[in-house]
Amino acid sequence: MDSLQIIADEIAACTKCELCKGRTNTVPGEGSVQAKILFIGEGPGAQEDKQGRPFVGRSGKLLREMIREVGWKEEDVFIANVVKCRPPGNRDPKPEEIATCQSYLNRQIALIDPKIIVTLGRHAMGRELPEMKISQVHGKVFRRKNGRYFVPLYHPAVALYSPAQKVTLMKDMKKLAKFISQL
Ligand code: URA
């Protein structure tokens, strides 16, 4: 039977794409298997690569602060990325790298079975809404046929450099928290 640990062990040994060559640590994701909310970011940065944990750098600090501010606890969320190894120089993950890595994320989603998937930034959104512009759909709730909800948000890294985007992200996050509390 599959488990988050089995998936993390497979990721740790993965050499399916070029990204394995530059990594220090793989970053499978972290959180509870019972999480109702799954956050999906883009890919590990320098700090994440060093520590093997997602969202532990500057944008991660902001994300975790926002998660706390809307009242969610660690056990309510799982935090993952579309690619599990750091793209060199923090470049965008390539479509073929996302495609190669996608089975790990799909297996994590199948196990966790979250009520809501929250994507951070356009690369993670591309999984669900490939033709949409994030500026048009951020903060909107999409209901999927399988009963799961999907919500695209701006990436917290953008909010670090733009006070206006930070306000928007926080507003979207609060709206999302309200929606979840009413489910
Ligand atoms: N940005 C991401 O998209 N993911 C991380 O884990 C860290 C920064």
Side-chain angles (χ1 to χ4, degrees):
M1 208 177 74
D2 211 2
S3 75
L4 292 177
Q5 190 56 54
I6 291 174
I7 300 169
D9 290 345
E10 281 181 35
I11 293 169
C14 183
T15 54
K16 285 192 220 162
C17 85
E18 291 280 301
L19 294 184
C20 70
K21 293 187 183 154
R23 75 182 176 219
T24 310
N25 288 294
T26 51
V27 183
E30 71 181 22
S32 166
V33 72
Q34 282 160 22
K36 294 281 171 283
I37 308 156
L38 171 66
F39 284 92
I40 305 177
E42 217 167 278
Q47 276 306 317
E48 291 76 20
D49 175 68
K50 208 164 160 187
Q51 298 186 37
R53 297 179 57 210
F55 283 99
V56 288
R58 283 183 67 217
S59 61
K61 196 164 164 259
L62 178 61
L63 174 68
R64 289 171 189 268
E65 264 168 31
M66 288 181 165
I67 288 175
R68 269 195 304 276
E69 203 170 320
V70 299
W72 294 326
K73 306 212 168 42
E74 293 280 314
E75 62 267 28
D76 296 325
V77 305
F78 193 96
I79 304 177
N81 279 304
V82 283
V83 294
K84 313 297 193 187
C85 297
R86 183 189 182 199
N90 293 348
R91 66 157 169 77
D92 291 344
K94 296 179 184 167
E96 61 269 27
E97 291 160 352
I98 295 176
T100 305
C101 211
Q102 128 174 306
S103 67
Y104 297 126
L105 184 57
N106 289 342
R107 282 164 62 195
Q108 289 173 318
I109 294 171
L111 278 171
I112 298 164
D113 191 19
K115 275 209 160 23
I116 305 223
I117 293 182
V118 183
T119 54
L120 301 166
R122 64 196 167 88
H123 291 287
M125 184 183 90
R127 259 181 76 85
E128 305 274 344
L129 299 174
E131 305 90 32
M132 297 277 194
K133 283 209 156 129
I134 194 163
S135 56
Q136 290 164 351
V137 293
H138 67 87
K140 290 202 160 76
V141 177
F142 294 83
R143 188 173 179 155
R144 294 298 188 216
K145 282 202 193 92
N146 59 10
R148 190 176 279 148
Y149 296 94
F150 161 66
V151 182
L153 296 185
Y154 281 120
H155 195 286
V158 180
L160 286 178
Y161 300 101
S162 158
Q165 297 263 33
K166 188 171 172 185
V167 171
T168 305
L169 180 58
M170 195 62 228
K171 259 193 206 155
D172 286 348
M173 197 80 114
K174 284 188 174 154
K175 211 170 90 185
L176 171 61
K178 191 167 170 209
F179 172 78
I180 293 176
S181 72
Q182 290 166 348
L183 279 182

